[in-house]
């Protein structure tokens, strides 16, 4: 199902797309809107989105436009931020049951209340070279964290990355051009050669280790 404008569903209505449901904007949903993968794409400017677990259900989320959250977001499966996609966390909590992949300018965390909690792997292949884009909040991973390419991760301010997986793998390509502001590692064994610069505080948990390459 593809809707180029605003999708509205009346109280008795139901829109179901077991595969991919592609929408520019989600409007007034009084009935139900469901999709295997909910894709937000098209349109100009930012779309202020208040996630509604009661009326809008999906397994995976693909963000291919500017989206500013106006409420907490829970995704059972995977989240991908791609093409021209930008997800502004905007002081809310994003809970992801699967993995997070960003292949675009991607994730904006600029509010101290921002929390992105990812149960699956985090794959960072989009450019966040502007240090103001990751300037506050917490990005929390429970599995592997990897990035590909130079100038992918530029954090600043009070932003913190927490890698809490008991056996997480950390693989950062071109580490000299990527940097975290604050980094907490709970259980991973990581090589200094695959870890970017930490501008602020590095905290290693009791079961974590850091070795020279």
């Amino acid at each position: 199902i593809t809707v180029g404008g605003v999708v509205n569903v009346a109280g008795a209505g139901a829109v179901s797309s077991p595969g991919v449901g592609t929408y520019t904007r989600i409007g007034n949903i009084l009935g139900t809107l469901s999709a295997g993968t909910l894709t937000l794409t098209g349109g100009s400017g930012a779309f202020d989105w208040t996630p509604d677990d009661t009326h809008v259900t999906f397994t995976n989320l693909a963000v291919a436009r500017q989206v500013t959250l106006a409420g907490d977001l829970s995704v059972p499966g995977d989240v991908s931020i791609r093409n021209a996609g930008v997800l502004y966390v905007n002081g809310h909590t994003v809970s992801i049951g699967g993995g997070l992949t960003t292949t675009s300018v991607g994730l904006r965390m600029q509010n101290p209340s921002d929390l992105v909690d990812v149960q699956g792997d985090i794959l960072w292949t989009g450019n966040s070279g502007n240090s103001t884009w990751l300037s506050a909040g917490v990005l929390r991973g429970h599995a592997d964290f990897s990035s590909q390419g130079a100038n992918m991760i530029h954090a600043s301010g009070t932003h913190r990355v927490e890698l809490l997986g008991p056996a997480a793998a950390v693989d950062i390509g071109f580490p000299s051009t990527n940097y975290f502001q604050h980094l907490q590692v709970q259980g991973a064994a990581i090589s200094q050669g695959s870890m970017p610069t930490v501008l602020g505080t590095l905290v290693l948990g009791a079961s974590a280790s850091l070795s020279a390459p």
Side-chain angles (χ1 to χ4, degrees), residues 150-191:
N151 296 306
M152 292 290 162
I153 304 168
H154 285 183
S156 64
T158 60
H159 189 267
R160 185 168 78 254
V161 173
E162 299 178 354
L163 303 178
L164 305 183
V170 180
D171 181 18
I172 306 295
F174 300 89
S176 63
T177 69
N178 293 289
Y179 51 84
F180 295 143
Q181 181 64 26
H182 302 295
L183 175 63
Q184 176 181 342
V185 181
Q186 187 63 38
I190 58 178
S191 167

Side-chain angles (χ1 to χ4, degrees), residues 30-188:
L30 299 177
T32 60
L33 174 67
S34 63
T37 296
L38 176 65
T39 298
L40 299 175
T41 189
S44 60
F47 163 40
D48 294 336
W49 181 32
T50 303
D52 178 3
D53 294 342
T54 302
H55 299 97
V56 181
T57 60
F58 50 90
T59 301
N60 305 305
L61 174 66
V63 178
R65 63 162 298 162
Q66 290 189 42
V67 176
T68 300
L69 290 179
D72 293 344
L73 171 65
S74 180
V75 181
D78 299 326
V79 172
S80 63
I81 306 173
R82 63 196 192 204
N83 300 336
V86 180
L87 180 63
Y88 292 85
V89 181
N90 195 34
H92 298 288
T93 295
V94 178
S95 301
I96 303 173
L100 169 64
T101 301
T102 173
T103 60
S104 68
V105 295
L107 188 64
R108 302 290 174 89
M109 302 181 67
Q110 300 167 314
N111 187 306
S113 298
D114 289 354
L115 172 61
V116 178
D117 188 279
V118 185
Q119 294 295 318
D121 295 340
I122 298 173
L123 176 59
W124 207 283
T125 62
N127 191 331
S128 291
N130 187 325
S131 62
T132 65
W133 296 347
L134 296 174
S135 59
V138 176
L139 173 60
R140 180 177 297 153
H142 297 268
D144 297 347
F145 187 106
S146 62
S147 74
Q148 301 172 2
N151 296 306
M152 292 290 162
I153 304 168
H154 285 183
S156 64
T158 60
H159 189 267
R160 185 168 78 254
V161 173
E162 299 178 354
L163 303 178
L164 305 183
V170 180
D171 181 18
I172 306 295
F174 300 89
S176 63
T177 69
N178 293 289
Y179 51 84
F180 295 143
Q181 181 64 26
H182 302 295
L183 175 63
Q184 176 181 342
V185 181
Q186 187 63 38

